[in-house]
Amino acid sequence: MSAFVKSVCLAQKLCAANPALARQAVRSMAGWNKDYKPAPFPKTEKEREAAAKKYYLLPEEYKPYADDGLGYGDYPKVGGGLGVENKDSYYPWDYPEHKRNLHEPISADHDLYSEDRYSQAEQPRYSTSYYVWCFVGVMSGCLALYYWLEDKKMYRPVAAKQYPAAGVKHYTFEK
Amino acid sequence: MGNAVNHYLRPDVTPGPDVVPSFDPMLGFESRKERVMIATQEEMESVKLPLEDRDYCAHKLIAYQACRSDKFPFVYQCAHEKHAYLTCEYEDYVLRMKEFERERRLLERQKRLNKAA
């Protein structure tokens, strides 16, 4: 505790000596993660409109997450569905690398929908059951072959190796 | 590997893999030279020879390994011992092939005799 008090005293003395230092310290605090934190859930209609304007949305488009303790304050529910991969690559986006326009709000789960994540942007060629049956067919075909060939082994035409043992006689083919 | 196909198509006259000869070894022979084991059990145990190497060529393998440990690192000087051991193993394999063929022919003969009887 004494170290903390001494540090505060030192900071006060330094600020008194040079007021520019205090200004620089306050400037450096800008852009902290606390500044990205959404505001509390809007309760009145006026607060809702203010929040919609803050996120550059029309009031009828603005739908915040449910205020059940697991939501994101006044952050709107946007994006989702098919990922960024599904967006038009040829549209003149303001940020083509993210396929995003200026002030366009992004999903709260943006890291799940960005282009470096898996998404199924196109309809598959065949139905899912067709794929399942293909898989089952190939696997059961392989298994059937495996069990059918289990007692049909390839082998070299040689007799068992002869090891000397008590009471066992082995012979060459010489006289 | 026609023997594998034959073993499936004609299992009665084709011996299987690693067959142990079932006929009398002297059948059709007047006399037959017996194979002699030269390395003794004590020798093989003292050099800790793996069980699968304790065959009729074990004495040559022991000589080769002894030469290697004597001449190391100039192990090329053991080329003669190595060649002798590998030739012995090759001849052992040829003998196994002959035993297989003998078993196969005797099976066919047995079938022929059974049919005639």
Side-chain angles (χ1 to χ4, degrees):
Chain A
M1 191 64 202
S2 67
F4 175 71
V5 172
K6 277 179 189 168
S7 304
V8 171
C9 290
L10 180 67
Q12 277 176 343
K13 279 179 194 164
L14 284 172
C15 289
N18 188 357
L21 197 68
R23 269 206 307 280
Q24 183 56 38
V26 169
R27 267 185 205 156
S28 303
M29 281 184 208
W32 281 18
N33 48 12
K34 71 176 171 56
D35 297 323
Y36 301 118
K37 193 180 168 186
F41 188 83
K43 294 196 171 63
T44 63
E45 196 56 37
K46 202 178 169 189
E47 278 177 3
R48 269 184 72 90
E49 278 176 22
K53 195 175 181 195
K54 175 179 156 193
Y55 291 110
Y56 298 96
L57 288 170
L58 294 173
E60 58 267 29
E61 284 177 344
Y62 175 72
K63 289 185 189 69
Y65 286 85
D67 189 24
D68 53 2
L70 300 169
Y72 298 97
D74 68 343
Y75 197 82
K77 197 188 274 185
V78 289
L82 297 171
V84 174
E85 194 186 345
N86 199 44
K87 289 188 177 178
D88 187 3
S89 304
Y90 299 99
Y91 179 84
W93 301 100
D94 293 331
Y95 306 106
E97 66 274 23
H98 294 137
K99 297 186 186 172
R100 185 185 168 212
N101 280 326
L102 186 69
H103 299 319
E104 182 183 339
I106 57 172
S107 168
D109 299 319
H110 184 67
D111 53 344
L112 294 179
Y113 296 105
S114 52
E115 277 191 309
D116 57 344
R117 294 286 182 271
Y118 172 77
S119 85
Q120 195 171 345
E122 286 176 30
Q123 280 297 105
R125 186 171 174 182
Y126 301 111
S127 65
T128 308
S129 65
Y130 180 84
Y131 289 116
V132 169
W133 281 114
C134 282
F135 174 76
V136 169
V138 169
M139 294 308 285
S140 54
C142 289
L143 274 177
L145 260 182
Y146 175 80
Y147 284 110
W148 181 60
L149 292 173
E150 188 145 41
D151 59 338
K152 297 167 187 66
K153 299 292 182 194
M154 297 301 268
Y155 62 98
R156 287 182 278 182
V158 289
K161 191 168 170 65
Q162 296 174 353
Y163 286 101
V168 182
K169 282 183 179 177
H170 294 121
Y171 299 92
T172 64
F173 282 83
E174 296 164 31
K175 280 193 177 178
Chain B
M1 295 282 168
N3 54 300
V5 179
N6 268 344
H7 187 55
Y8 174 61
L9 296 175
R10 298 188 298 157
D12 51 338
V13 293
T14 313
D18 282 342
V19 66
V20 178
S22 56
F23 293 93
D24 175 19
M26 300 308 287
L27 182 63
F29 286 90
E30 284 173 15
S31 69
R32 223 179 149 182
K33 199 187 273 182
E34 202 174 318
R35 296 190 82 183
V36 191
M37 181 62 183
I38 294 167
T40 62
Q41 190 69 27
E42 291 74 37
E43 279 175 351
M44 295 192 292
E45 278 170 6
S46 68
V47 298
K48 295 182 180 175
L49 210 59
L51 291 181
E52 64 266 28
D53 290 335
R54 298 187 181 187
D55 54 3
Y56 289 97
C57 300
H59 60 290
K60 298 200 171 175
L61 180 58
I62 292 171
Y64 172 48
Q65 300 282 26
C67 172
R68 267 183 70 96
S69 66
D70 287 347
K71 301 280 171 65
F72 194 85
F74 307 104
V75 291
Y76 64 90
Q77 294 173 6
C78 301
H80 172 71
E81 282 80 0
K82 183 179 182 182
H83 182 68
Y85 171 64
L86 291 180
T87 305
C88 178
E89 284 290 354
Y90 166 74
E91 279 164 2
D92 183 74
Y93 198 84
V94 171
L95 189 77
R96 290 170 65 192
M97 286 160 46
K98 286 179 179 174
E99 285 287 354
F100 181 92
E101 182 62 16
R102 176 171 182 267
E103 178 77 7
R104 190 187 70 76
R105 292 186 191 192
L106 285 177
L107 281 173
E108 284 198 347
R109 174 176 171 272
Q110 192 66 51
K111 192 185 179 188
R112 206 163 56 236
L113 292 180
N114 289 348
K115 200 181 268 183

